[in-house]
Amino acid sequence: MRNNMTSVTEFFLLGFPLGPKMQVLLFGLFSLFYAFTLLGNGAILALSCLDPRLHTPMYFFLSHLALVDIAYACNTVPRMLLNLLDPALPISFGGCMTQTFLFLTFAITECLLLVMMSYDRYVAICQPLRYSAIVSWRVCITLAVTSWTIGVLLSLIHLVLLLPLPFCVSQKINHFFCEIMAVLKLACADTHINENMVLAGAVSVLVGPFSSIVVSYVCILCAILRIQSGEGQRKAFSTCSSHLCVVGLFYGTAIITYVGPNYENPKEQKKYLLLFHSLFNPMLNPLIYSLRNSEVKNSLKRVLGIGRTL
């Protein structure tokens, strides 16, 4: 076994098995999506800071979600774009490990932030009179810091288990970024502990939080149905519909990828699911919130109006 191992200093990302013309086409298309991701989430961040009417717990969490989406996309998309132009371009061992760590950190943090946002909506609709007391700024900051801290700590556990592994001569990662399961396939050692930790982590940060979100929205639905006026029901539904769309997109692709059948041997379909998860989800989130949320649209009009008068 020792003869088949080497000190690995770089990896090669196989990406997508496509012809040169298709790779150039995808480079242009994905570059456009990446620009929309940065622009859309950057606009959400700017509006949350500039408009005093959006200085509320809901938009505090939304601004953190936008920040995570920007970081999420910046971690994987630029490297994918480079590989579309030059498939033979290697990524260093340190760069690969860093990308794996950051991907896990941002993914876990987003999972937890979506739970915090569902809790915010639950209190706002089910206990509106106590909302200000329960969801104070101190509580919001504590929940946000907790989400980021748990994301970093859980990712560190995976990284600590990954770094000591010896890697074989084969340095080709069958993915468009250093996804942890794809990296583990190159290890010349028993990786059952790593794989079990990935599954356990996926269950704890995906299935558990998703279940709590479902319970929250069952309570929210019951509370909405008790509202007498139709206008009140529509307003309550509108404050939750955007969040439900984002939850469905994020958790749906993540659960299928990491908790679904044959998670140990991800097929090409799961690679494309992670492409959707890494590129399209961060791009769609600000569109969903801006198109389905009148407060965001009104805030954008106010900010643009101020800009014109100046």
Side-chain angles (χ1 to χ4, degrees):
M1 180 68 73
R2 291 285 179 183
N3 293 331
N4 292 329
M5 293 185 294
T6 184
S7 178
V8 174
T9 59
E10 58 186 25
F11 294 102
F12 294 92
L13 298 169
L14 297 183
F16 306 101
L18 303 168
K21 291 184 179 179
M22 182 58 69
Q23 286 182 327
V24 172
L25 176 63
L26 288 181
F27 174 83
L29 189 62
F30 290 166
S31 296
L32 189 62
F33 291 157
Y34 183 50
F36 284 148
T37 299
L38 299 182
L39 182 63
N41 286 288
I44 295 289
L45 276 174
L47 290 175
S48 299
C49 295
L50 295 175
D51 192 342
R53 300 186 192 185
L54 298 186
H55 292 173
T56 63
M58 176 181 175
Y59 292 99
F60 172 77
F61 290 121
L62 181 56
S63 64
H64 277 267
L65 184 66
L67 182 62
V68 170
D69 282 339
I70 289 174
Y72 208 65
C74 289
N75 181 47
T76 57
V77 177
R79 183 70 216 188
M80 178 182 66
L81 294 176
L82 285 176
N83 273 84
L84 285 172
L85 292 180
D86 185 3
L89 188 67
I91 181 171
S92 67
F93 179 85
C96 188
M97 296 299 107
T98 301
Q99 192 179 56
T100 301
F101 169 74
L102 291 177
F103 176 82
L104 293 172
T105 297
F106 299 139
I108 294 169
T109 302
E110 182 157 354
C111 285
L112 298 177
L113 283 174
L114 290 174
V115 175
M116 306 309 175
M117 293 175 74
S118 71
Y119 173 70
D120 172 75
R121 292 299 85 205
Y122 166 78
V123 177
I125 293 175
C126 297
Q127 301 186 48
L129 299 179
R130 300 180 58 204
Y131 178 77
S132 298
I134 296 175
V135 190
S136 64
W137 281 112
R138 183 177 180 179
V139 170
C140 291
I141 293 171
T142 301
L143 292 176
V145 171
T146 300
S147 299
W148 283 96
T149 303
I150 293 175
V152 171
L153 292 178
L154 290 181
S155 301
L156 274 176
I157 293 174
H158 291 295
L159 186 65
V160 168
L161 292 173
L162 180 61
L163 286 175
L165 293 176
F167 289 92
C168 300
V169 175
S170 175
Q171 300 166 283
K172 296 179 180 179
I173 298 176
N174 186 21
H175 223 291
F176 63 89
F177 75 103
C178 291
E179 193 269 336
I180 187 167
M181 295 302 297
V183 174
L184 287 175
K185 287 185 175 296
L186 302 186
C188 291
D190 186 1
T191 59
H192 278 93
I193 294 178
N194 303 75
E195 293 168 1
N196 288 335
M197 282 299 298
V198 171
L199 179 60
V203 171
S204 62
V205 301
L206 289 174
V207 178
F210 181 71
S211 301
S212 68
I213 292 175
V214 170
V215 172
S216 296
Y217 273 98
V218 169
C219 297
I220 289 171
L221 179 61
C222 294
I224 290 175
L225 293 177
R226 288 197 295 267
I227 298 175
Q228 299 297 323
S229 67
E231 180 63 28
Q233 287 185 344
R234 283 192 294 273
K235 185 176 180 180
F237 271 120
S238 68
T239 63
C240 299
S241 58
S242 299
H243 183 247
L244 276 175
C245 290
V246 172
V247 166
L249 287 172
F250 182 87
Y251 279 95
T253 53
I255 289 175
I256 291 172
T257 302
Y258 288 104
V259 188
N262 299 321
Y263 82 98
E264 295 179 349
N265 295 292
K267 300 177 181 178
E268 287 295 314
Q269 296 93 314
K270 292 192 175 181
K271 186 194 297 186
Y272 290 101
L273 270 178
L274 271 180
L275 174 64
F276 183 90
H277 194 70
S278 304
L279 180 62
F280 295 101
N281 266 6
M283 181 186 69
L284 292 175
N285 286 353
L287 290 176
I288 292 170
Y289 277 106
S290 60
L291 292 177
R292 300 180 62 87
N293 194 309
S294 59
E295 287 184 332
V296 174
K297 289 187 286 188
N298 292 334
S299 174
L300 181 60
K301 291 176 182 177
R302 286 193 295 270
V303 171
L304 291 177
I306 293 172
R308 283 194 296 268
T309 59
L310 294 177

